[in-house]
Amino acid sequence: MKTRHILRTAIATLGLSLFTTAGAADITDQDITQGYRKHAAMAQFHRWYQVYERPDGGLNNALDILARDVSVKSGLGEAVGLGQYAARVMQLPDTWRNAHSLKDADITVAGDGTMRLTADITYLNEGMNPDGTVREADLSYTMTLVPTDTVLPRFQTIEIAQNSDGEAEAFVDAYAENRMRSLVHYWLALIEDPARDPEPVREILAEDFSLNFTSGALTDFEGFRAWLAGPGSQVSASTHEIGNFSARETGDGTYALTVDFDWAGVTPDGTNLVAKTRHSWTATNDPTERFARIRTMDVEVLEPFRPRE
């Protein structure tokens, strides 16, 4: 009976209903328990590109994601420590335009909370080639992250290898993609974190936010606090896998995104649950802040919610 009550509560709160999903069925118990850590790492990964894609956001946000003794190795050599890395970034020509598009990423979590992140991306640069063509390169990243006293880890080592070099037909800006992905991953890290601490979420909510769950809209922080402590904590652990992500700029400092979530969770009595939803968000963005802010969040049921078979 308790599991049935949890199912009904989750259905009403998260906007879910009943049948298993193929994506969620592939999520392992380890994925569920480690999910919030991996989302936190990916939030930092997408923040890594902000200073290169929008330098007007300032250097502080770039340094915020790095350990004090960070080592960054690339074709330019090695920078050790925040000072050397900052000096390298400040030398980049302000006429360049840079874009970074993620192709794939993998994260492993060690018992002490440290993580290893590997990723492949496509890098575009406009301004480097003297003839005005757009440079395109495939890059591979190998990164280690160390835990902090918050949900967000910091990079301790970053190694960048270039696998190809060529030209692209046109420059395609990737700022909206990276900025919104960092926001989504951070949101997921915070709501999946077993600590269930609402305070860090203040940073990513706009002043006039509205989180429109099927059980009703949350429009003030006390309402969100109550949701996270109550319906949002009906499972002992959960995670979300991201699919069909799309983000676009809608105006000066405003963005819209849609994303599908394959969700999997475990109830206190050990029942595995699965679901699939689509989220549509609007966000406001100040590039000098660590993250953009959620203004509205709408939830649509795509596939049912039920115990995983």
Side-chain angles (χ1 to χ4, degrees):
M1 294 297 293
K2 185 176 181 181
T3 298
R4 185 175 298 174
H5 170 72
I6 292 172
L7 284 167
R8 288 174 177 169
T9 303
I11 290 167
T13 304
L14 300 177
L16 307 173
S17 54
L18 289 160
F19 266 100
T20 193
T21 73
D26 294 333
I27 299 175
T28 67
D29 288 347
Q30 186 177 68
D31 291 332
I32 294 172
T33 57
Q34 295 181 348
Y36 76 100
R37 295 182 186 273
K38 293 182 178 182
H39 282 302
M42 290 305 298
Q44 300 290 66
F45 177 80
H46 287 287
R47 287 180 69 199
W48 163 258
Y49 297 116
Q50 304 304 303
V51 72
Y52 300 104
E53 295 182 344
R54 291 295 188 276
D56 55 337
L59 192 57
N60 286 341
N61 282 332
L63 302 181
D64 180 67
I65 67 174
L66 305 175
R68 287 187 171 276
D69 59 346
V70 67
S71 168
V72 181
K73 295 181 181 179
S74 69
L76 299 175
E78 181 178 13
V80 178
L82 297 180
Q84 288 188 16
Y85 174 73
R88 175 182 292 184
V89 171
M90 292 174 67
Q91 291 174 359
L92 295 175
D94 58 12
T95 56
W96 284 6
R97 297 177 68 200
N98 301 292
H100 310 78
S101 298
L102 178 65
K103 294 191 290 185
D104 56 71
D106 183 68
I107 301 171
T108 55
V109 183
D112 61 358
T114 59
M115 286 180 274
R116 182 177 186 271
L117 189 160
T118 57
D120 295 312
I121 74 151
T122 298
Y123 168 63
L124 299 180
N125 173 280
E126 185 177 67
M128 183 184 300
N129 290 345
D131 61 1
T133 56
V134 176
R135 184 189 176 208
E136 179 180 79
D138 291 321
L139 305 179
S140 294
Y141 285 75
T142 302
M143 312 162 107
T144 60
L145 301 98
V146 293
T148 68
D149 58 359
T150 74
V151 73
L152 291 171
R154 285 195 171 102
F155 292 106
Q156 188 164 57
T157 65
I158 299 172
E159 295 188 23
I160 308 168
Q162 181 175 324
N163 304 316
S164 70
D165 197 3
E167 295 179 2
E169 292 183 1
F171 181 86
V172 179
D173 187 61
Y175 178 76
E177 177 93 2
N178 284 314
R179 187 65 164 166
M180 293 300 106
R181 279 189 179 270
S182 68
L183 174 63
V184 170
H185 280 293
Y186 190 36
W187 161 262
L188 295 177
L190 291 174
I191 66 168
E192 292 175 6
D193 182 2
R196 300 291 197 271
D197 182 3
E199 289 304 318
V201 183
R202 289 184 188 273
E203 180 183 14
I204 58 171
L205 294 177
E207 198 169 312
D208 57 346
F209 75 87
S210 180
L211 309 180
N212 302 312
F213 300 127
T214 55
S215 56
L218 304 178
T219 58
D220 61 67
F221 193 76
E222 290 310 308
F224 171 76
R225 183 195 300 275
W227 173 83
L228 189 62
S233 297
Q234 287 294 310
V235 291
S236 57
S238 68
T239 197
H240 304 68
E241 288 197 352
I242 293 174
N244 295 327
F245 184 94
S246 176
R248 60 188 175 89
E249 187 173 6
T250 55
D252 186 17
T254 60
Y255 292 83
L257 70 88
T258 59
V259 59
D260 293 348
F261 290 137
D262 282 306
W263 177 91
V266 180
T267 65
D269 67 1
T271 302
N272 283 273
L273 310 176
V274 293
K276 186 165 187 162
T277 58
R278 172 166 296 156
H279 280 223
S280 299
W281 297 11
T282 62
T284 60
N285 183 52
D286 177 347
T288 66
E289 293 187 333
R290 299 200 309 168
F291 295 93
R293 294 175 180 262
I294 302 166
R295 186 174 184 187
T296 64
M297 179 187 297
D298 295 295
V299 181
E300 174 190 355
V301 179
L302 295 182
E303 296 181 15
F305 178 95
R306 57 163 287 171
R308 181 170 60 185
E309 296 179 357

